[in-house]
Amino acid sequence: MLPSHLNGLSPLTRRRPRLSAASPPATGESDAAAADAPLAEHDRIYFQSYSHIGIHEAMIKDRVRTDAYRSAIMHHQKFIEGKVVMDVGCGTGILSVFCARAGAKRVYAVEASEMANQACEIVKANNLNDKIVVIHGRVEDVEVEDKVDVIISEWMGYMLLYESMLPSVLFARDKWLKPGGLILPSHATLFMAPITNSERYEGSVDFWSDVYGINMSVLVPLAKKFTSEEPSIEIIGGENVLSWPFVVKHIDCYTFKAEELKSITTKYKVSSMMLAPIHGFGLWFEVEFNGPSNPSDNSLSDLNPLDIIHKKRRRGSDNAVLLSTAPEDEPTHWHQTILYFPDPIEVKQDQTIEGSVTVSQSEENPRFLNIQLDCSTGGQTLVKDYVMR
């Protein structure tokens, strides 16, 4: 279940799993009530997959990700030192250790997968038993002694919302966070833009027209169907992006409500920056690590896309910590998420591309996503449904 095995236009599988909590101390004891809490089948599978060490290896080796969190903890050390922290979905406990080393008085490291057992041993090996309490179970089931000053969590999935771990963070916020407390990350933004990728499309679709001198073009329709059925997780570059991105959703973790994740719809209107075929749309995200005194920027989604990029770069120059998975930035294990068309649509420079996108939780499994894309340009219209499972 390694997150980066999704090469090219292969179907999508889960990146990792963890989340939620119960209540055993760092000795590895487990709270019976939490351990016995019934799990939905999709949650059981999700948490079980996060018991695989390969998932944690891929995440921790992602230096962009791990360094961003460590930098954010040190940047906000004044809010952490001598305070109580909750790490939601702690995995190996690496963020909990970072917080303890930054001076946290107590860290509740909450992990629903069996990796909690290894996290206990890691805490012991680093002589942090007196600071870190590892809790094996779901955060929705946990009972702890204190309200907390800080909540930290690496909850983001592919295209930000896949896996739907954010509701657990919001649950912890509403139940455990003190007024004026710190949430890391504090804000998240999902971006989207039309992309061109002839090399990838030709390698997966046009490839079948001539295979070692054999005409296999009968497979081209099947290849097109396969290519465009599910989102693809892959790396693209800034040169593949045809327009300025638009905002699908901006999330303020201090105020956002879990119900808002059920269905998100955004209309868009962008202009192509070049003559090229549109092969689909790319999605990526950024998260910010702002302090509790920073006002929420709910106006972000109303900004011109160019202003959004400039605003992001200004934040970076002001030493605010930003974790970006954008095509123009250093690659991460999240890559980008691509919604490929069955057939490319040719566009000219400055041609308008408009429509809407709806991202909704699957009724079959709320950790899965249904995506409906509506795209119109140059007299052509495409309406396409994708399932991210």
Side-chain angles (χ1 to χ4, degrees), residues 22-32 34 106-110 116-121 123-124 128-137 142-145:
S23 91
T27 59
E29 299 174 18
S30 62
D31 182 270
R106 174 67 59 87
V107 181
Y108 292 109
V110 179
N117 298 320
Q118 282 71 42
C120 286
E121 296 305 315
V123 169
K124 291 179 185 178
L128 291 169
N129 302 56
D130 60 330
K131 286 193 171 185
I132 301 176
V133 178
V134 177
I135 302 177
H136 185 194
V142 70
E143 292 298 334
V144 298
E145 296 178 1

Side-chain angles (χ1 to χ4, degrees), residues 39 55 67 83 119 122 129 141 201 214 226 234 279 303 337 344 362 365 382:
L39 285 178
I55 288 176
D67 283 345
K83 300 298 178 64
I122 290 169
N129 302 56
D141 306 320
Y201 187 85
I214 303 171
F226 176 79
E234 58 189 86
H279 289 102
L303 291 176
T337 301
S362 168
N365 181 342
L382 171 83

Side-chain angles (χ1 to χ4, degrees), residues 178-200:
K178 293 178 183 177
L182 175 67
I183 304 177
L184 297 177
S186 59
H187 299 79
T189 307
L190 177 62
F191 295 94
M192 187 170 175
I195 62 105
T196 186
N197 198 347
S198 295
E199 182 179 358
R200 172 62 68 194

Side-chain angles (χ1 to χ4, degrees), residues 11-65:
L12 193 131
T13 54
R14 68 177 46 77
R15 176 174 79 91
R16 58 192 197 179
R18 76 252 210 264
L19 190 117
S20 298
S23 91
T27 59
E29 299 174 18
S30 62
D31 182 270
D36 293 341
L39 285 178
E41 180 65 11
H42 57 76
D43 282 337
R44 187 191 65 77
I45 294 171
Y46 172 74
F47 296 135
Q48 185 178 45
S49 65
Y50 270 102
S51 299
H52 194 298
I53 192 172
I55 288 176
H56 298 278
E57 178 184 351
M59 292 190 292
I60 291 173
K61 281 184 174 178
D62 182 347
R63 296 196 65 88
V64 174
R65 164 202 180 269

Side-chain angles (χ1 to χ4, degrees), residues 274-294:
M274 65 185 88
L275 171 67
I278 304 177
H279 289 102
F281 277 76
L283 296 106
W284 59 89
F285 66 86
E286 296 171 350
V287 296
E288 306 162 47
F289 297 85
N290 294 326
S293 60
N294 293 49

Side-chain angles (χ1 to χ4, degrees), residues 102-259:
K105 177 177 70 175
R106 174 67 59 87
V107 181
Y108 292 109
V110 179
E111 174 58 43
S113 81
E114 293 302 315
M115 188 57 65
N117 298 320
Q118 282 71 42
C120 286
E121 296 305 315
I122 290 169
V123 169
K124 291 179 185 178
N126 287 274
N127 300 313
L128 291 169
N129 302 56
D130 60 330
K131 286 193 171 185
I132 301 176
V133 178
V134 177
I135 302 177
H136 185 194
R138 299 192 328 130
V139 81
E140 290 83 356
D141 306 320
V142 70
E143 292 298 334
V144 298
E145 296 178 1
D146 316 284
K147 290 284 188 177
V148 303
D149 303 283
V150 180
I151 291 175
I152 189 167
S153 179
E154 199 276 75
W155 54 265
M156 301 85 69
Y158 291 128
M159 60 169 282
L160 188 63
L161 301 177
Y162 179 63
E163 293 184 337
S164 193
M165 183 178 166
L166 179 57
S168 291
V169 178
L170 302 180
F171 179 93
R173 176 201 67 190
D174 294 341
K175 185 171 183 179
W176 300 112
L177 188 65
K178 293 178 183 177
L182 175 67
I183 304 177
L184 297 177
S186 59
H187 299 79
T189 307
L190 177 62
F191 295 94
M192 187 170 175
I195 62 105
T196 186
N197 198 347
S198 295
E199 182 179 358
R200 172 62 68 194
Y201 187 85
E202 290 167 3
S204 298
V205 175
D206 296 342
F207 162 79
W208 295 104
S209 297
D210 185 348
V211 183
Y212 291 92
I214 303 171
N215 183 348
M216 293 190 177
S217 56
V218 66
L219 295 177
V220 168
L222 186 61
K224 289 180 179 181
K225 180 176 183 294
F226 176 79
T227 295
S228 60
E229 269 185 336
E230 295 187 0
S232 174
I233 306 302
E234 58 189 86
I235 294 175
I236 59 172
E239 68 276 7
N240 297 110
V241 181
L242 284 175
S243 75
W244 288 107
F246 58 90
V247 173
V248 176
K249 189 65 179 179
H250 178 66
I251 294 172
D252 181 341
C253 294
Y254 291 105
T255 61
F256 192 76
K257 303 297 183 185
E259 300 76 41

